[in-house]
Amino acid sequence: MSTEGNGFKSGSNLEKILTAGHFAFTGELGPPRGNAVEEVAEKAKHLKGMVDAVNITDNQTAMVRMASWAASLLIMQQGLEPNFQMVCRDRNRLAMQADILGATALGIKNMLCLSGDHQKFGDHPNAKGVFDIDSIQLIGMVKKMRDEGKFLGGAELDGSPKMFIGAAANPFADPFEWRVHRLAKKISAGVDFIQTQCIYNMDKFRKWVQQANDMGLTEKVYILAGVTPMKSVGMAKYMKAKVPGMDVPDEVIKRLQGAEKGKVAAEGIKMACEQIEEFKELKGVHGVHLMAIEWEHKVPEIAEQAKVLPRPEV
Amino acid sequence: MIVAKRKPFDEIKEYIKDYKKVLVAGCGTCVAVCLAGGEKEVDILNTELDMARRLDNNPLETGTITIERQCDVEYLEGLDDVVKDYEAILSMACGVGIQFLAERFPGIPVYPAVDTTGMSANLAVGLYEERCRSCGECVLGLTGGICPVTMCAKGLYNGPCGGTNNGNCEIDDDQPCAWFKIYERLATQGRLDNILKIKEPVGWNDQIPRTLIQPGYMKPEKDA
């Protein structure tokens, strides 16, 4: 019962794009710090027709935001496909399974299983972090619900929650030697696709993908390379110094510093597009996940410049 | 051992503001070793309370006693004749001792003078680091003797997460990443296969009050 008659795991647009062998292109949208539908609609309109699916973040950086399933539904009403993010920080296994049932019942077909940033970073730093299960265990739980029709506890569930199961990978956090093995664990837990941390250190990323190729992992999972264009030198310096697990080489900062006044952002976009061009040719990479943080209106320009348009109809 | 730290003085003072006769009860075992609630700390608190209440023109009559262990009925008996002279007790024992004291003297209010902060190792005088959360399902055999439940800020069983930063945890540059250390130790020992396998979701054993009866023993009849 793992698949519908059509052979797909969930039949999401993203799954169809990837299984058809197209180079996938996904975007991201952070729900509002309030319940303003218009804010979601405004961000979503820039992404329409530009990406195959849109990640809807789940209380990103541990700041309270509109529920990711709710914002997912809002963008579906606009004709976009969500990739529903779920972190282990905020829900126990009961709430997670309930939300998965609810999400699939309402037509959500992709989800991304994450541990979640520690609550210390957010606006409720002394909240109790749940972490009842971790991201790898979450992948296994969704797969069990989908493929065996069973809850984590073992009881049969009514219906079959079809999800195309995603997870994250950070090739840059240490120990580097272990990162490819952690990818392998996610694959054996049942993940269908991976979106990586923002890539700036291309050498290290190439090495990681090579390891994954050598271990045969890239034949078992679709890998979407994470790209975030730098808006400014300040952003690059901040990400290098302050964001855990982020690897920003000095060359990246130097190149931005070398840009003409007023053209740093354009240089950042150019750099991102050069990366995307390389990823299109890189064995083991099946697409790009563009995280244009609070820069959704730039996505059409980036997609155009990266030559990923028009998006394939599948 | 169990470690604790003294509560803020104002909080302690507030608890006992309406009493005239208070017993400050220390505990001579764990909290004495970690410098939170032994005989010496009992005397200090007693002096502070005495001075503060004099300044308030609301003098307090205090007594002090430190018994070997407040979590052991055998030692509590020694308090039976002492407590009756007091309106309230301030206990400087860990949470177990405080509750045991309150249970033995149900007619007398017992207040905590310390916050119990965990099971820790003694790294230096006055320096303690938490090492165990008593989860009830020890995985140290798999993880090279480093506890991910206690030392990983997310308590991950399949770490490390993506936040590892030069071997440290994303929450603090001074906090080593438990999973980085686990990886290093297992790599040194040639035991990485331990963590190549997925650790399935655990059943949390600490969600209801736990009672432990060792094999061959039983609950005393009177409590059954």
Side-chain angles (χ1 to χ4, degrees):
Chain A
M1 59 186 295
S2 67
T3 54
E4 292 173 67
N6 57 21
F8 288 114
K9 285 171 175 165
S10 79
S12 72
N13 184 57
L14 180 60
E15 182 183 11
K16 287 176 179 170
I17 290 274
L18 287 165
T19 52
H22 296 298
F23 190 78
F25 193 61
T26 55
E28 189 154 310
L29 188 154
R33 296 261 294 154
N35 62 355
V37 174
E38 320 79 66
E39 201 179 313
V40 180
E42 168 63 23
K43 285 181 174 177
K45 81 174 189 215
H46 301 294
L47 299 169
K48 184 125 191 234
M50 303 293 141
V51 292
D52 305 317
V54 180
N55 284 37
I56 304 296
T57 55
D58 183 16
N59 286 345
Q60 65 190 81
T61 62
M63 304 281 278
V64 181
R65 291 171 180 270
M66 182 190 289
S68 54
W69 62 262
S72 292
L73 292 184
L74 290 175
I75 70 153
M76 282 167 66
Q77 289 168 4
Q78 299 215 327
L80 283 158
E81 177 171 287
N83 180 17
F84 165 49
Q85 294 194 185
M86 184 183 279
V87 298
C88 297
R89 180 194 60 229
D90 301 339
R91 300 171 181 79
N92 70 5
R93 61 190 77 181
L94 279 84
M96 287 174 147
Q97 292 177 99
D99 280 354
I100 291 161
L101 292 178
T104 52
L106 293 164
I108 292 171
K109 292 178 178 175
N110 307 303
M111 78 176 273
L112 196 75
C113 304
L114 304 166
S115 299
D117 295 320
H118 196 273
Q119 58 274 17
K120 179 177 182 281
F121 294 104
D123 57 355
H124 295 74
N126 295 109
K128 177 164 180 157
V130 180
F131 302 109
D132 178 17
I133 58 175
D134 64 28
S135 61
I136 289 177
Q137 295 163 343
L138 172 57
I139 294 165
M141 186 170 80
V142 187
K143 183 177 161 65
K144 185 172 185 171
M145 293 172 77
R146 182 190 70 192
D147 294 353
E148 297 175 36
K150 285 181 179 167
F151 291 114
L152 182 62
E156 293 206 2
L157 62 84
D158 196 9
S160 53
K162 299 300 186 196
M163 278 290 190
F164 191 47
I165 307 169
N170 185 356
F172 309 105
D174 42 23
F176 177 72
E177 306 73 30
W178 185 249
R179 291 294 155 182
V180 75
H181 295 290
R182 194 149 192 271
L183 171 67
K185 283 179 86 166
K186 290 191 175 183
I187 293 168
S188 78
V191 80
D192 299 310
F193 70 99
I194 290 286
Q195 292 171 321
T196 77
Q197 172 69 286
C198 315
I199 300 158
Y200 298 103
N201 187 337
M202 291 293 280
D203 287 341
K204 206 164 193 177
F205 182 71
R206 287 184 202 107
K207 206 169 155 192
W208 179 77
V209 174
Q210 184 60 47
Q211 289 175 338
N213 285 336
D214 292 345
M215 286 170 67
L217 301 179
T218 51
E219 288 158 26
K220 298 178 186 164
V221 71
Y222 298 107
I223 293 185
L224 277 59
V227 172
T228 292
M230 292 291 192
K231 295 181 196 178
S232 64
V233 175
M235 174 182 172
K237 284 184 174 168
Y238 177 82
M239 287 177 99
K240 183 183 177 76
K242 301 280 183 196
V243 182
M246 192 73 76
D247 184 346
V248 183
D250 290 333
E251 302 88 78
V252 170
I253 295 170
K254 277 184 198 143
R255 184 166 158 190
L256 291 167
Q257 284 169 331
E260 277 178 53
K261 199 162 177 270
K263 290 193 175 167
V264 178
E267 188 66 21
I269 289 175
K270 191 168 171 235
M271 289 162 76
C273 292
E274 288 169 13
Q275 285 184 297
I276 296 170
E277 286 300 333
E278 177 170 347
F279 293 140
K280 285 182 196 170
E281 305 301 324
L282 191 61
K283 181 176 181 287
V285 174
H286 309 90
V288 157
H289 176 52
L290 179 70
M291 291 163 274
I293 303 159
E294 294 303 321
W295 227 20
E296 290 81 3
H297 65 281
K298 285 281 189 186
V299 171
E301 183 187 330
I302 298 165
E304 181 71 42
Q305 207 174 316
K307 302 190 188 71
V308 293
L309 298 178
R311 296 310 306 149
E313 299 278 340
V314 286
Chain B
M1 69 180 162
I2 296 169
V3 299
K5 63 176 180 185
R6 207 184 86 179
K7 279 183 170 293
F9 181 73
D10 288 347
E11 184 181 341
I12 298 171
K13 191 177 158 216
E14 175 70 18
Y15 280 140
I16 59 162
K17 67 179 191 310
D18 296 328
Y19 304 113
K20 302 289 183 198
K21 292 181 78 174
V22 170
L23 177 68
V24 182
C27 184
T29 309
C30 309
V31 291
V33 177
C34 74
L35 312 175
E39 201 169 359
K40 189 175 123 207
E41 293 76 29
V42 165
D43 286 342
I44 293 168
L45 176 59
N46 192 46
T47 308
E48 285 180 67
L49 286 169
D50 182 53
M51 286 168 63
R53 289 283 289 260
R54 276 173 207 258
L55 285 171
D56 291 348
N57 287 321
N58 181 18
L60 177 71
E61 193 181 317
T62 57
T64 62
I65 189 163
T66 299
I67 61 169
E68 190 65 23
R69 277 199 293 282
Q70 289 190 23
C71 63
D72 196 326
V73 69
E74 185 190 329
Y75 297 106
L76 282 183
E77 279 171 9
L79 288 177
D80 290 357
D81 292 334
V82 180
V83 300
K84 59 181 190 301
D85 297 331
Y86 296 93
E87 297 167 343
I89 306 173
L90 269 174
S91 169
M92 299 194 82
C94 72
V96 179
I98 297 165
Q99 292 186 59
F100 223 48
L101 200 59
E103 197 175 302
R104 181 148 189 113
F105 307 110
I108 303 172
V110 176
Y111 295 95
V114 302
D115 290 310
T116 307
T117 61
M119 284 192 277
S120 300
N122 194 348
L123 299 189
V125 179
L127 175 63
Y128 311 95
E129 198 172 272
E130 190 179 14
R131 290 291 165 88
C132 178
R133 290 268 168 94
S134 63
C135 71
E137 194 178 321
C138 192
V139 294
L140 289 170
L142 284 175
T143 57
I146 296 164
C147 177
V149 180
T150 311
M151 297 201 49
C152 168
K154 300 177 186 174
L156 303 180
Y157 282 92
N158 294 282
C161 74
T164 314
N165 219 8
N166 300 318
N168 292 321
C169 177
E170 67 180 21
I171 63 159
D172 190 344
D173 285 343
D174 292 328
Q175 175 64 46
C177 167
W179 277 98
F180 185 82
K181 293 182 75 154
I182 290 168
Y183 169 82
E184 285 197 316
R185 185 166 298 166
L186 291 177
T188 308
Q189 297 179 358
R191 294 167 66 212
L192 282 173
D193 55 324
N194 274 11
I195 53 170
L196 281 171
K197 198 166 163 277
I198 293 170
K199 173 69 180 163
E200 297 295 338
V202 299
W204 297 101
N205 293 311
D206 56 355
Q207 302 298 296
I208 52 169
R210 290 174 283 185
T211 301
L212 172 67
I213 303 173
Q214 299 292 18
Y217 292 81
M218 54 203 278
K219 234 175 176 177
E221 294 261 335
K222 62 185 165 89
D223 297 331

